[in-house]
Amino acid sequence: MKRLESQKDVTWAWQLRKMTREEKVVLDYKKSGKKYDPKAIPWDTTTIILPKVWKK
């Protein structure tokens, strides 16, 4: 942050948003050290769009 703040000729913009449920699942796997296999997770296909190769 100090390095970014020291650059006075550059204007930085920040945008914050809530994490999606999918991002939370991925982060939980990363934090716990479990093997992450997106095809093995029962995703809610009514709220997200999965690649066609993952659909049954």
Side-chain angles (χ1 to χ4, degrees), residues 7 9 30 56:
Q7 298 175 354
D9 58 334
K30 183 170 177 61
K56 294 179 182 177

Side-chain angles (χ1 to χ4, degrees), residues 5-25:
E5 290 171 351
S6 68
Q7 298 175 354
K8 300 299 180 191
D9 58 334
V10 178
T11 303
W12 295 94
W14 301 92
Q15 183 178 15
L16 301 175
R17 64 174 175 80
K18 288 180 83 173
M19 287 177 54
T20 64
R21 283 178 280 174
E22 295 78 23
E23 290 169 332
K24 287 180 185 178
V25 169

Side-chain angles (χ1 to χ4, degrees), residues 26-47:
V26 172
L27 188 60
D28 286 341
Y29 273 86
K30 183 170 177 61
K31 284 183 176 180
S32 68
K34 292 189 280 185
K35 183 178 183 282
Y36 173 71
D37 181 11
K39 295 178 184 175
I41 298 172
W43 298 108
D44 180 6
T45 57
T46 61
T47 59

